[in-house]
Amino acid sequence: MGLYEKYILPKCLNLAMKAPAMTKLRSKLVPLAEGRVLEVGIGSGLNLPFYTDAVHVTGIDPSAELQVYAQDIAGTLGMDVEFLTQGGESIPADDNSFDSVVMTWTLCTIPEPDSALAEIRRVLKPGGKVIFAEHGEAPDKSVRKWQNRINPIWNVIGGGCNLNRQIEQLYEGNGFAFADMEKGYIPGPRWATYNYRGIATFA
């Protein structure tokens, strides 16, 4: 790991993910989680203030540097969160372990998103739900053109983030259906802000 990935990128990501429009979506979506919760890509812990007192959260993320921020937030809130420094492609949990999975602006960065979604389906209980917010491929041809042009550079400076992932197709291709979903641009550059958010369940 280079100096950029270890020291600069975590600070930049933590700041960028505090955008007001993203915080507003977190405040609406995260309280929908119930029971035993797995947060995939817990990052710097920006979802933690929005969980209800009735849940128990396990958070996984490959970035130990970002988890330092999350641990501080959990401590301030008095939350007992289990942190695992782990990617989403291999989740260290038994089948049918979690009532809810929360994933916000994460699927864009996971190197093998199909493997991660298969793992999420494995550890999610029957009747469980994935609560998600993601950015991805835009519906407008002109915007998609810029996404495809910028993506190779963005992927490097953004820690593996992809601008043009097909979020709906990824979920549906791994056996999920959408109980509820909204789509649309949020404030910011259009090539980075077309968002998908809602709830996915087993098809």
Side-chain angles (χ1 to χ4, degrees):
M1 179 183 292
L3 293 177
Y4 174 75
E5 291 82 3
K6 186 173 179 63
Y7 296 108
I8 299 173
L9 181 61
K11 293 180 180 180
C12 292
L13 289 175
N14 183 50
L15 181 61
M17 298 302 285
K18 291 179 178 179
M22 300 171 83
T23 301
K24 184 177 180 180
L25 289 177
R26 295 180 199 278
S27 72
K28 291 181 177 180
L29 291 168
V30 175
L32 301 177
E34 299 174 316
R36 190 176 178 204
V37 179
L38 174 67
E39 182 168 342
V40 179
I42 194 168
S44 58
L46 298 179
N47 287 333
L48 293 177
F50 302 108
Y51 284 107
T52 68
D53 294 336
V55 302
H56 180 270
V57 179
T58 297
I60 65 173
D61 200 287
S63 173
E65 291 77 22
L66 281 173
Q67 284 193 38
V68 171
Y69 294 101
Q71 290 163 358
D72 286 345
I73 292 174
T76 299
L77 295 171
M79 292 181 68
D80 181 18
V81 179
E82 180 182 6
F83 290 99
L84 301 172
T85 305
Q86 177 74 42
E89 294 94 340
S90 180
I91 299 171
D94 293 334
D95 296 357
N96 308 325
S97 294
F98 295 96
D99 301 287
S100 308
V101 171
V102 172
M103 191 157 53
T104 56
W105 297 284
T106 297
L107 201 57
C108 61
T109 304
I110 293 176
E112 299 177 21
D114 288 308
S115 296
L117 286 168
E119 275 288 271
I120 287 168
R121 181 167 180 171
R122 179 184 68 80
V123 303
L124 194 61
K125 293 179 181 179
K129 57 189 176 183
V130 181
I131 300 153
F132 68 92
E134 303 286 355
H135 73 103
E137 184 181 71
D140 304 288
K141 184 177 180 180
S142 60
V143 178
R144 289 199 306 271
K145 184 184 297 184
W146 278 106
Q147 287 179 320
N148 294 332
R149 286 176 177 171
I150 295 169
N151 198 66
I153 299 171
W154 185 260
N155 185 266
V156 174
I157 65 174
C161 177
N162 292 276
L163 299 169
N164 53 1
R165 285 210 167 146
Q166 298 176 329
I167 302 302
E168 287 181 85
Q169 291 89 330
L170 282 168
Y171 272 100
E172 291 171 345
N174 285 281
F176 289 93
F178 298 109
D180 178 54
M181 183 166 66
E182 296 180 2
K183 297 181 284 186
Y185 293 100
I186 62 174
R190 288 169 71 85
W191 47 265
T193 57
Y194 191 77
N195 267 246
Y196 303 76
R197 59 265 187 187
I199 296 173
T201 59
F202 293 164

